Amino acid sequence: MKQPPLITPREVDVPRAQRHTLPNGASLYAIPSDDFEVLRFTFVFRAGSSMQHAPFAASATANMLSEGSRDMTARQIAERLDFHGSYFEVNVDRDYVYISFSSLSKFFGPTLEVAEQILLQPLFPEDELRAYCEKRKQTLTIERRKVDTVVREIFAEALFGDKHPYGISYPEKDYDTLTRADLESLYRRLYTAENCLVVCSGRIGEEELQGIGALAEKLPRADRSATADFPAPRSEAYRFVERPDAVQSSLRVGRLLFTRTHPDFVGMQVVATVLGGYFGSRLMQNLRGEHGYTYGVGAAMVNFEREGYLGIAAQVGAEVTAPALREIYNEIERLRREPMPEEELSLVKNIMTGEVMRILDGPFGIADVTIENLLCGTNNGVIEENIRRIQAITPAEVQRLAVKYLRREDLITAVVGAVDPFTKL
């Protein structure tokens, strides 16, 4: 059997979202596709954890929206969605809350009715809130027994500082003091028209577009624009938390860099992929293939609204923590010292391009990318531009970026494990 030729797309035709500005200031974007009899509409509010005035208020508000409304109980909301095979999902990050409703096209009307109850008429019942807080408190207590959870938190603190909205972590006991008034205050302040964009995709006809637009138009206008206090990040070079009984150590290595709008962001995505962005990456070959220190290691550029960073993550045997860190530093230095082979870089380019194509396979994937681009102040035209930049990058450019941004003295390291590895480095 003859293998088909490898074709790397040089052009990607991604549909642009059709923008509609509503009378109350909300923005509605539509990406119609008639290929499937499904649709999804997502309300994005700038209401993530960096915007909250009380610990855990942002995630609690978003997750409590469906726990009872003016006209429906939490059970009725869940049963109505289940009856029509519709799907409701909430995601919360540092900057934004994403509230998505998916349904078959023929059940759009009933789904929209439930969406209105969730988005516009939440009650945040006291008994449901207390049950939610107790459950989340217990879950967080269990999660913080894991080295991977703790290292994620202390790495954020090391990058940004423990007072920065992106770096702060709250104790579990703060769930005990979270009140219904905290949720109502955040909801009134942040779930507003000016603080929202809506993206709908799939089989979106004129009727569906008007229905979603009518719902978005009911969002209240804000008295003033939402703001948050963002001090300058205060980074620490090294953080270690001892867990004497830990069989494995969890590691994070990286540094603060820049957001997705920076001209070097795409180039640093290539650098991150070379280091740990796919199964055959340099760090995987070294730490797993050659030394057997770990089952997996990854590297990526992480983008927030106001900051961005490079992060490398791995879990390794407790007894090989120091050697594993040493090899991570060595691979970074090798990338700075030696131009990478053209064949290796070509493989990385094709993997990255293929990943873009995979994400764009289907209307909901296109909608996710559209949301990300809109939040970065761009449109879907940037996708083709980024693919061109990936395909055009050279070994010399990869080395230049590594030399510029990955000096050993600029790297931040966080470790949770049985033994402090820096005593052996």
Side-chain angles (χ1 to χ4, degrees), residues 10 55 62 100 124 162 169 187 193 287 299 306 309 354 377 384 392 395:
R10 299 290 174 176
S100 296
F124 308 115
D162 61 4
S169 297
Y187 175 79
L287 270 66
R306 303 199 185 202
Y309 66 88
E384 187 169 350

Side-chain angles (χ1 to χ4, degrees), residues 19 50 77 82 111 127 130 142 147 156 183 195 230 234 249 255 270 275 288 307 327 339 348 358 365-366 373 389 425:
R19 180 178 182 179
S50 65
I77 288 173
D82 286 345
T111 303
D127 56 342
R130 297 276 55 91
I142 294 170
V147 292
L183 274 60
N195 211 37
F230 274 83
R234 299 183 63 179
S249 296
R255 65 156 300 185
V270 176
L275 285 171
R288 175 177 168 139
E307 302 286 351
E327 292 304 324
V348 169
R358 183 192 67 80
I366 294 173
N373 290 333
R389 293 170 69 182
L425 288 175

